[in-house]
Amino acid sequence: MNSSLYQFTAKALFLFLFCSYNLIGQKAPDSLVVPPTLNKINKEKKLDVSELSALIDTLHFEQETLDTINKLMEEYWANNTFNPYSDTFLKFPFNISFSDTVYASPIDRKKVVTSRYGWRWGRPHHGIDIDLISGDNVRAILDGKVRYVRYHGGHGRTVVIRHENGLETVYAHLSKQLVKENDTVVKGQIIGKGGVTGNARGSHLHLEVRYQGKSINPEYLFDFNKENNIRSKELWVTKKWTNPLKHRSTRRSRVTVYTTEEEAILGKEAESTVYIIRKGDTLWKIARMHQLSVNQLCRLNSIKKTSKLRIGQRIVLN
Ligand SMILES: [Zn+2]
């Protein structure tokens, strides 16, 4: 079904059920009369109170999911800025969900990675370089909406697509852009032709993956193998995977995917320097000792200045 129609139906059904449920629930919880419209929808099902309640829960969940998608798709939508998220603060680890287990290859030939995400020539390389010949098709790796189609400095001719999970993919050095801003694209759709525009040594596709403006090592999310596997439907991204300094463009980083928040928090600790609170410690003392501000320390640990510290509590310092 068309997604806006689906959304409308889900919303209408939810509202209707919610109102009916509340009214009936208050007046006669045991003798639920299924309203005519709902009867029409579920002719054979004949829902009882618990089934109706379960249906409402499901619809509520679906509505929340749709609200999240809409928020991710609509907020910070700008056609004229490469990174419209400059004032957002991202809390780590953050979650990314995929509705699929595979992506579409961005090129039609075998993917040969010539340079990876990481530190390169004393500068950050925020994407992955995939070899191609000028004029080759470049395809959207996931369904989405085109946010940016412009010439962007060193990136040359660039297309940025935003996806429903909030990720943005960036396709750079193109010779031709074949989509318009605000176009809806499907996974595998041709969005341009490969090239050497911008700061490129030889024709290749520079592919970036960003979330709220932060680049993520694409290999953490996608396996650039023949099968085009997405690493996991649920992924938790730690700071390490958004920091080119922690990776080298000439070497493949060892990928251990965090599929739950707990795993990611443990992983974050393994990636960070951890300080264990001792008797007499205060945030001011710890901050001073490690050349940090109290604000930085609070942000890093998602705590308040007024938070009480426990002896033995673990605090990350980076
Ligand atoms: Zn590159």
Side-chain angles (χ1 to χ4, degrees):
M1 205 190 299
N2 172 310
S3 79
S4 60
L5 182 62
Y6 173 75
Q7 196 178 330
F8 176 77
T9 314
K11 230 175 206 166
L13 194 58
F14 170 69
L15 261 177
F16 173 74
L17 287 176
F18 188 72
C19 297
S20 328
Y21 181 69
N22 275 350
L23 280 174
I24 296 158
Q26 279 161 18
K27 284 176 188 163
D30 296 327
S31 55
L32 184 79
V33 181
V34 181
T37 324
L38 186 60
N39 244 337
K40 221 172 163 187
I41 298 166
N42 285 288
K43 229 174 188 172
E44 295 103 46
K45 289 186 181 167
K46 293 204 174 72
L47 300 171
D48 61 25
V49 178
S50 64
E51 284 167 336
L52 184 56
S53 156
L55 181 58
I56 288 168
D57 282 348
T58 311
L59 287 168
H60 198 173
F61 177 75
E62 284 182 8
Q63 188 56 47
E64 273 181 1
T65 311
L66 284 169
D67 288 347
T68 309
I69 291 174
N70 284 340
K71 197 164 172 256
L72 289 168
M73 289 302 280
E74 285 163 17
E75 280 186 356
Y76 293 91
W77 186 267
N79 296 136
N80 56 359
T81 316
F82 177 75
N83 174 16
Y85 293 100
S86 51
D87 66 338
T88 57
F89 177 74
L90 207 47
K91 188 173 163 274
F92 291 93
F94 59 85
N95 172 235
I96 295 189
S97 309
F98 290 91
S99 54
D100 219 336
T101 55
V102 287
Y103 63 94
S105 178
I107 58 165
D108 293 340
R109 59 181 75 243
K110 183 175 177 244
K111 297 184 284 297
V112 176
V113 176
T114 53
S115 187
R116 298 177 188 278
Y117 179 93
W119 210 243
R120 185 174 75 170
W121 310 322
R123 288 187 8 215
H125 183 228
H126 286 286
I128 192 165
D129 293 346
I130 304 172
D131 197 23
L132 54 65
I133 293 171
S134 280
D136 276 0
N137 291 330
V138 170
R139 297 174 185 272
I141 67 168
L142 297 166
D143 291 348
K145 190 174 169 188
V146 179
R147 187 176 62 73
Y148 182 96
V149 183
R150 300 193 184 218
Y151 196 98
H152 183 248
H155 280 131
R157 285 205 183 95
T158 302
V159 170
V160 179
I161 300 175
R162 189 178 295 179
H163 309 285
E164 287 192 342
N165 56 5
L167 271 191
E168 289 197 332
T169 46
V170 178
Y171 308 79
H173 307 316
L174 303 176
S175 57
K176 254 187 201 158
Q177 295 138 307
L178 297 172
V179 281
K180 294 189 308 298
E181 285 162 349
N182 307 316
D183 277 357
T184 299
V185 290
V186 295
K187 182 166 126 177
Q189 184 175 331
I190 297 171
I191 52 157
K193 301 279 185 187
V196 281
T197 56
N199 184 15
R201 303 180 179 184
S203 57
H204 69 270
L205 171 69
H206 170 90
L207 176 70
E208 285 181 19
V209 176
R210 290 180 175 266
Y211 185 76
Q212 309 224 336
K214 271 242 180 278
S215 70
I216 307 173
N217 186 332
E219 289 182 275
Y220 184 69
L221 310 174
F222 306 104
D223 196 343
F224 290 87
N225 58 1
K226 222 166 83 188
E227 285 75 36
N228 303 327
N229 295 123
I230 295 173
R231 300 266 187 203
S232 169
K233 277 194 160 184
E234 292 296 330
L235 277 156
W236 287 83
V237 181
T238 57
K239 220 170 190 172
K240 175 187 168 186
W241 294 97
T242 66
N243 185 356
L245 260 173
K246 302 261 184 192
H247 305 268
R248 273 200 263 146
S249 69
T250 49
R251 206 172 62 188
R252 192 197 296 258
S253 296
R254 202 163 57 85
V255 177
T256 313
V257 171
Y258 303 127
T259 56
T260 64
E261 188 173 15
E262 293 71 36
E263 271 176 31
I265 288 168
L266 285 173
K268 178 182 159 192
E269 283 199 3
E271 291 164 10
S272 316
T273 311
V274 177
Y275 178 82
I276 299 168
I277 303 290
R278 282 179 291 212
K279 203 175 167 201
D281 279 342
T282 64
L283 283 177
W284 281 264
K285 197 173 143 191
I286 300 163
R288 196 161 10 93
M289 242 158 41
H290 298 93
Q291 281 106 47
L292 289 166
S293 70
V294 173
N295 281 334
Q296 281 171 317
L297 212 51
C298 290
R299 263 194 197 181
L300 281 166
N301 291 280
S302 313
I303 54 174
K304 291 196 187 111
K305 281 183 189 174
T306 49
S307 297
K308 219 170 146 35
L309 299 175
R310 284 175 292 103
I311 292 171
Q313 186 179 341
R314 300 163 83 79
I315 294 269
V316 292
L317 301 174
N318 57 359

